[in-house]
Every structure is written in structure tokens, then in C-alpha cells.
């Protein structure tokens, strides 16, 4: 399994709706509300060989209320 994180910028007033939609879809490991340039930080796991780009484009960016995403790929846990 490969872990990666996505920072999500939401439309104004939509962060809780977006977080709820992600939780209801049962696709995330963890969902955090954050301060700063992005509203949410979400941790995902994919099986080795699955495409992160397609997952983000098809499963995350299509959720209503999302304005922008920033994906962080991880390599090794310490």
C-alpha cells in the first residue's frame, strides 16, 4: 500500500460539506481541517500499481465544493 496526502482548498463555506463527502465515500484514511492556504489535509492509501493521478482526478476533484488540490506523494515511513 502506498500512502499519499492531498491538501484541498474548498469553496467558501464548503469545507465541512467536502469533508463529509470524503468520509461518506470511505476512500480516506484520515481527514484533518487545517489553517493556511488549504482547508483540508486528507490521507489516502492505494494499492501498489494503482494510479494516484487518476484516483485524485476521478475520486477527489469531482466532489462538489472543491476548488483546488495539491497532492503530496510519500516514499518511505520512518
Amino acid at each position: 500500500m502506498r500512502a499519499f496526502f492531498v491538501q484541498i482548498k474548498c469553496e467558501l463555506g464548503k469545507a465541512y460539506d467536502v469533508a463529509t463527502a470524503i468520509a461518506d465515500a470511505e476512500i480516506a484514511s484520515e481527514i484533518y481541517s487545517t489553517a493556511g492556504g488549504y482547508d483540508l489535509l486528507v490521507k489516502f492509501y492505494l494499492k501498489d500499481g494503482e494510479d494516484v493521478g487518476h484516483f485524485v482526478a476521478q475520486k477527489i476533484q469531482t466532489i462538489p465544493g472543491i476548488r483546488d488540490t495539491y497532492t503530496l506523494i510519500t516514499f518511505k515511513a520512518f
Side-chain angles (χ1 to χ4, degrees):
M1 298 289 276
R2 177 194 299 186
F4 66 99
F5 295 84
V6 178
Q7 291 179 289
I8 299 173
K9 190 177 294 185
C10 301
E11 298 292 339
L12 292 176
K14 297 295 182 182
Y16 284 93
D17 295 337
V18 171
T20 298
I22 293 169
D24 288 348
E26 297 182 354
I27 56 175
S29 170
E30 301 169 45
I31 305 168
Y32 297 95
S33 178
T34 59
Y38 289 85
D39 303 300
L40 301 171
L41 175 65
V42 186
K43 184 177 184 181
F44 297 96
Y45 285 97
L46 284 181
K47 293 178 184 173
D48 292 334
E50 288 190 60
D51 189 280
V52 172
H54 280 110
F55 179 86
V56 171
Q58 295 171 357
K59 301 285 186 178
I60 301 167
Q61 292 176 339
T62 57
I63 295 172
I66 292 180
R67 206 171 98 211
D68 194 15
T69 61
Y70 184 80
T71 303
L72 301 164
I73 306 294
T74 60
F75 298 102
K76 183 177 178 180
F78 294 95

